[in-house]
Amino acid sequence: MIAAREGIIRYGAAGCSARGIAVLAGATPSAINYAYGGIKHLFGAVFTEGLRDTEAFLAALEAELDLWPARPETAAAAFEGVLRRWIGAASGLAALYQQALASREEAPEPVQAWLHLWAAFFMRLA
């Protein structure tokens, strides 16, 4: 799954094949079918793992933001901080999220959960 995640981040989901992921993992393409039931299921597993990592990222970020004063003038700075962290320290997660959105036909459940996670985070932040 690590190779699939790296491949999706580096090449995009559309640029990944079972053969390419297998090469990155040092395995055979049939291992993907055996272990995950196909590349679609592997992508779903990668996106689900990304969702869990995003939950942890947002929980840590929310704990940090709870220390900020609750004033309207800090809202813009807080939002900017969230964006900077997401595209900076968590840029791999951001890329994975974008690929999940682009692949929502193949893995709709993790994408819906990811969208709800972000919506809930911003509702709490507001």
Side-chain angles (χ1 to χ4, degrees), residues 1 42 51 66 81 87 109 122:
M1 189 158 35
L42 174 59
L51 170 66
D66 281 344
I87 61 172
E109 294 84 13
F122 282 116

Side-chain angles (χ1 to χ4, degrees), residues 54-125:
T54 302
E55 287 172 337
F57 168 80
L58 291 178
L61 192 56
E62 193 169 345
E64 195 176 304
L65 290 172
D66 281 344
L67 300 174
W68 290 38
R71 291 181 288 193
E73 59 269 15
T74 61
F79 184 67
E80 181 183 355
V82 169
L83 290 178
R84 284 184 184 272
R85 294 287 269 296
W86 183 243
I87 61 172
S91 63
L93 277 177
L96 201 58
Y97 175 69
Q98 288 298 316
Q99 290 304 310
L101 290 175
S103 305
R104 73 176 68 205
E105 299 284 323
E106 287 82 26
E109 294 84 13
V111 173
Q112 282 300 322
W114 230 326
L115 292 171
H116 289 294
L117 177 68
W118 275 106
F121 171 77
F122 282 116
M123 288 301 292
R124 288 189 306 274
L125 192 62

Side-chain angles (χ1 to χ4, degrees), residues 25-53:
T28 64
S30 62
I32 291 172
N33 287 328
Y34 179 76
Y36 294 97
I39 196 161
K40 281 182 161 183
H41 294 291
L42 174 59
F43 282 8
V46 169
F47 295 146
T48 299
E49 181 182 66
L51 170 66
R52 283 192 297 263
D53 291 348

Side-chain angles (χ1 to χ4, degrees), residues 6-34:
E6 289 303 315
I8 291 169
I9 290 170
R10 191 177 312 157
Y11 306 114
C16 286
S17 66
R19 186 178 312 276
I21 292 169
V23 167
L24 287 173
T28 64
S30 62
I32 291 172
N33 287 328
Y34 179 76

